[in-house]
Amino acid sequence: MRKALTLLLATALIGGCGIIYRQPVFQGNLLESKNVEQLQVGMTRGQVFSLLGSPPIADPFHQSRWDYVATERRRVGDTEVKNLTLWFEGDSLARWEGEYFPEADSKLAAEMRRFGNLARDKDKPRRPAPSGG
C-alpha cells in the first residue's frame, strides 16, 4: 500500500512539473511566408484564394473582408491567436494587415520528428498498385 501511494505521488509530481511533452495544437490556416509575400494590391479574389486558400471565417455582413485566423496552444491556458485580415474593393485586393504563424507547419513537423511521433511516409518504399486483370 505504501509503495502504491509513493508511486502515485511521484507520478502526480512529475506530471505537474511540465516534464511530460505536450504536443502543440495548431488550428486554422497555417500560411506560408512565400505565399503571403506574393500578395499585391489589385489581385483578384481568385488569385488570393489560390495563394492562401479559403478563409476560415466568412462573414455574410462583411463580404469585402477575409480573415485568416490561426491559434497555437502549447499548454492548457497558453494559447496564442493570430489574425491576418484582407480587405477587398469589389473583386480587387485593397490592403491587408495582421499576423500569422509563418512556416508553422514545417516547424511543427520538425518538432514532432524529434519526439518520434510523426509518421515517416516518405521513407517507406511504395508498393506497386495491384494490376486489374
Side-chain angles (χ1 to χ4, degrees):
M1 178 71 173
R2 188 174 188 161
K3 287 183 181 183
L5 183 60
T6 304
L7 180 62
L8 181 62
L9 181 61
T11 303
L13 290 174
I14 290 173
C17 292
I19 294 173
I20 298 174
Y21 172 72
R22 286 186 174 52
Q23 176 177 335
V25 177
F26 286 92
Q27 291 183 316
N29 291 79
L30 295 178
L31 304 173
E32 295 185 22
S33 296
K34 67 179 182 173
N35 293 343
V36 175
E37 290 170 0
Q38 291 181 43
L39 289 176
Q40 296 178 7
V41 172
M43 293 179 92
T44 65
R45 290 176 188 256
Q47 291 171 320
V48 173
F49 181 85
S50 68
L51 279 176
L52 304 182
S54 175
I57 298 177
D59 186 351
F61 300 108
H62 300 98
Q63 294 180 359
S64 62
R65 175 179 164 165
W66 287 6
D67 289 293
Y68 292 87
V69 179
T71 61
E72 174 190 16
R73 185 180 57 144
R74 293 266 173 194
R75 291 176 292 281
V76 175
D78 184 17
T79 302
E80 184 177 0
V81 179
K82 293 195 178 185
N83 184 27
L84 179 66
T85 303
L86 286 69
W87 285 272
F88 293 88
E89 291 177 2
D91 191 43
S92 298
L93 181 62
R95 63 186 174 97
W96 61 93
E97 66 182 39
E99 296 180 313
Y100 60 99
F101 293 105
E103 312 305 330
D105 51 352
S106 57
K107 287 181 185 175
L108 179 61
E111 183 177 339
M112 301 280 284
R113 277 195 193 93
R114 194 175 93 215
F115 289 98
N117 56 353
L118 183 65
R120 295 178 185 243
D121 291 333
K122 292 181 181 177
D123 297 341
K124 294 180 183 177
R126 294 185 179 247
R127 288 188 253 164
S131 60

